[in-house]
Amino acid sequence: MMRKNITPYLFLAIPFLMYCIWVIFPILQTFIVSFTKWDGMTQMKFIGIENFKRLINDKYFGLSLVNNIKWMIGFVILSIPLGLFFAILMDQKFAGHKIYKSLVYLPMALSFVVIGQIWSWILEPTGGIVNAFLNFIGLGNLAKPWLSDPKIVTYSLIAAALWRQIPYAMVLFLAGLKNVSSELVEAAVVDGANAFQRFFYVILPALKPAMVIAITVNIIDSLRAFDIVFVMTRGGPYYSSSVMANYMYVQAFHNYRMGYGASVAVVQFLITFSFILLYLINVLKKEER
């Protein structure tokens, strides 16, 4: 009897140990380093919450945080409705819909590093496709240095990232559409509901679980933004496109301020974890019903 009770825990022991080594331990270590002054080579010096006090007055950290908020708003406001639009469109059985669906999926097969390189060419100020097209249609006055103008560079990066994020949201909504009851939709048609009414009163309520997941994932992805920023601008010019992950990397590995970089990572972790916690609470409440 005792052996039966222990067996499940033995199966869980190795995965749990691996999770502790690769996830829990690095998180705890980052928290510890954030309370120190350390260059990665000499001995750590405990300085309490000095790194966090410094963050409050660090204008470049504040700028990185604001940029992350812009990413968050851009991902939620644009990728969710556009992902939903493409999901409903691709769910229709029109001729060649599988080919179109594959083409929309395509950016998902590429890493953000590759996407960053592609969009660096597209947004290149002299020979890029965007400025060339604007000049061709007579709107050359709208052509801009998309990646070197501090006022628009963050929005240019968000636009490039949305190229991959919209198909991701579309996949989540396509999975959600499989759970929409066809009987309910047919009943709405019989009752005389038009397409607009069927969408808002039948389909959209049924997509609520997929919507919650899509919003949560997009918020977390916006806070994790790093690789595409690093590839396209490295946070420049003058930190104008920097995000928290990029600023953490620069402080820790370029300026050798491991303790300060760790404090940025801790703030980013706590913000991300708060959204994950809200999502988990929502899931647990549904399971209790």
Side-chain angles (χ1 to χ4, degrees):
M1 185 70 181
M2 182 72 177
R3 191 172 179 178
K4 280 186 178 178
N5 291 336
I6 293 176
T7 303
Y9 296 104
L10 290 176
F11 277 105
L12 287 172
I14 293 177
F16 180 71
L17 182 63
M18 292 169 68
Y19 184 78
C20 288
I21 292 172
W22 280 309
V23 179
I24 303 298
F25 178 70
I27 290 174
L28 293 176
Q29 193 177 33
T30 303
F31 270 83
I32 293 168
V33 174
S34 70
F35 294 108
T36 67
K37 184 179 181 182
W38 186 42
D39 59 8
M41 291 173 281
T42 56
Q43 194 166 3
M44 287 184 192
K45 180 183 175 184
F46 182 75
I47 57 172
I49 60 170
E50 288 304 315
N51 285 328
F52 295 96
K53 283 183 180 176
R54 188 179 160 194
L55 278 180
I56 295 171
N57 299 315
D58 186 340
K59 67 175 183 179
Y60 296 121
F61 172 73
L63 185 58
S64 302
L65 181 60
V66 169
N67 282 339
N68 265 117
I69 294 171
K70 289 178 183 175
W71 275 77
M72 195 186 303
I73 293 170
F75 268 30
V76 172
I77 289 181
L78 295 176
S79 73
I80 299 297
L82 289 174
L84 179 58
F85 170 77
F86 280 111
I88 291 172
L89 188 65
M90 295 301 160
D91 199 46
Q92 310 302 314
K93 307 298 180 190
F94 57 89
H97 72 280
K98 289 185 179 178
I99 296 173
Y100 291 115
K101 194 184 288 186
S102 301
L103 290 173
V104 178
Y105 279 143
L106 187 61
M108 279 191 64
L110 304 175
S111 70
F112 270 125
V113 175
V114 176
I115 289 172
Q117 191 60 55
I118 292 171
W119 277 85
S120 294
W121 296 329
I122 292 173
L123 299 174
E124 206 271 328
T126 53
I129 294 173
V130 174
N131 282 354
F133 177 72
L134 290 172
N135 287 323
F136 178 74
I137 62 174
L139 295 174
N141 59 320
L142 295 178
K144 295 187 182 300
W146 303 101
L147 298 179
S148 57
D149 185 341
K151 293 179 182 175
I152 58 172
V153 61
T154 296
Y155 305 108
S156 302
L157 294 175
I158 294 171
L162 283 172
W163 193 51
R164 186 178 186 275
Q165 205 65 23
I166 290 170
Y168 188 39
M170 183 190 75
V171 171
L172 295 174
F173 285 123
L174 274 174
L177 284 170
K178 301 299 177 193
N179 296 323
V180 177
S181 170
S182 57
E183 287 82 6
L184 279 177
V185 177
E186 288 166 8
V189 173
V190 172
D191 288 342
N194 57 34
F196 179 83
Q197 291 168 326
R198 290 199 299 274
F199 174 73
F200 280 99
Y201 297 111
V202 179
I203 297 173
L204 200 56
L207 285 176
K208 189 179 175 184
M211 185 72 74
V212 171
I213 294 171
I215 291 173
T216 307
V217 169
N218 272 282
I219 289 173
I220 292 170
D221 282 351
S222 69
L223 291 167
R224 291 193 311 142
F226 168 71
D227 31 18
I228 196 167
V229 175
F230 192 76
V231 169
M232 293 181 73
T233 64
R234 295 181 185 268
Y238 308 112
Y239 291 96
S240 55
S241 64
S242 178
V243 289
M244 283 191 289
N246 180 77
Y247 192 61
M248 179 270 294
Y249 180 83
V250 169
Q251 291 299 322
F253 299 105
H254 283 196
N255 299 337
Y256 299 103
R257 294 169 179 162
M258 295 292 177
Y260 193 56
S263 66
V264 177
V266 166
V267 172
Q268 184 178 3
F269 170 78
L270 291 176
I271 294 172
T272 307
F273 186 70
S274 64
F275 285 105
I276 294 172
L277 200 60
L278 286 174
Y279 172 71
L280 291 176
I281 291 170
N282 184 52
V283 170
L284 290 173
K285 279 183 180 176
K286 283 181 182 173
E287 287 185 354
E288 287 175 359
R289 287 171 193 166

